[in-house]
Amino acid sequence: MIYKFSEKSNKAIDSAHPDFRIWCDELIKFIDCSAIQGYRTESQHLQYLKNGTTTIKYKNSKHSKIPSIALDLVPYQKRAIWGETEIERLDMVFFAGFAKSIAIRLKNEGKMQHSVKWGGDWNGNNTISDTKTIDFPHWELIA
C-alpha cells in the first residue's frame, strides 16, 4: 500500500527542523501516519496550557523554536491514534518502536543530523514502564 501525508501533515512537518522531513518521508513509505503539529504559536501554546495539554512554559517548549525541534506524530488507521485506550496505547508503542528504528538507521547512514526522543521514553532507555508522564504523539530532536 502507498501512503502519503495530507496537506495538514506536510505543513506541520515543514514547520519543523529538516531532519523531521527526512525521517517522515522515509517513515511514510512503510506505515501510515499523521503529523499533527510542529511549530506552535504562543497563542496556541497558551491555549494548551489553559486546557492542561501541556505544563511547559512557551519559551521552554521544543515546539516554540523556529524551526520547531519537536513534532507530534501519530499512526493513522482510518483516523489518528492518540493512545487514549489500551489498544491505542499498544498501537502507539508499536509505531514508536518502528519510527525510532527508522530514525536510528537514517542517523547512522548520515542522512539525519540528530537522533529522536519519543514522549513515551523520555530517558531513552527503550522502556515506558519507568516513564511518569507519557506524551504519546511527541517526538523531539536530540544531539
Side-chain angles (χ1 to χ4, degrees):
M1 185 164 232
I2 297 173
Y3 305 113
K4 65 180 184 174
F5 286 112
S6 68
E7 186 176 323
K8 181 179 177 185
S9 286
N10 278 314
K11 184 176 179 183
I13 297 165
D14 289 341
S15 73
H17 188 281
D19 273 357
F20 280 121
R21 172 53 72 188
I22 293 163
W23 178 51
C24 288
D25 283 350
E26 187 68 13
L27 189 56
I28 198 73
K29 292 176 184 177
F30 303 100
I31 193 165
D32 201 5
C33 51
S34 294
I36 306 303
Q37 190 168 47
Y39 174 73
R40 184 180 294 162
T41 66
E42 188 168 7
S43 63
Q44 289 170 319
H45 192 85
L46 290 174
Q47 184 60 41
Y48 292 146
L49 274 170
K50 185 178 178 181
N51 69 22
T53 304
T54 189
T55 57
I56 297 171
K57 293 181 181 180
Y58 178 73
K59 67 179 182 175
N60 297 331
S61 172
K62 308 282 191 210
H63 287 279
S64 70
K65 313 300 182 233
I66 299 176
S68 176
I69 55 173
L71 181 70
D72 292 336
L73 186 72
V74 297
Y76 189 88
Q77 300 167 357
K78 298 183 185 172
R79 65 181 181 80
I81 303 297
W82 289 93
E84 295 171 343
T85 65
E86 183 63 29
I87 196 71
E88 285 186 1
R89 286 188 285 279
L90 292 173
D91 288 340
M92 287 296 302
V93 171
F94 174 83
F95 174 75
F98 185 79
K100 189 170 179 181
S101 69
I102 294 290
I104 290 168
R105 178 175 57 81
L106 291 170
K107 173 89 165 51
N108 289 341
E109 292 172 352
K111 295 178 180 176
M112 285 177 60
Q113 297 174 347
H114 302 87
S115 297
V116 296
K117 182 189 299 185
W118 175 49
D121 181 24
W122 293 111
N123 64 7
N125 68 351
N126 296 316
T127 184
I128 62 170
S129 61
D130 62 350
T131 304
K132 293 179 182 157
T133 303
I134 295 177
D135 186 353
F136 281 115
H138 184 87
W139 293 87
E140 60 187 56
L141 298 179
I142 55 176

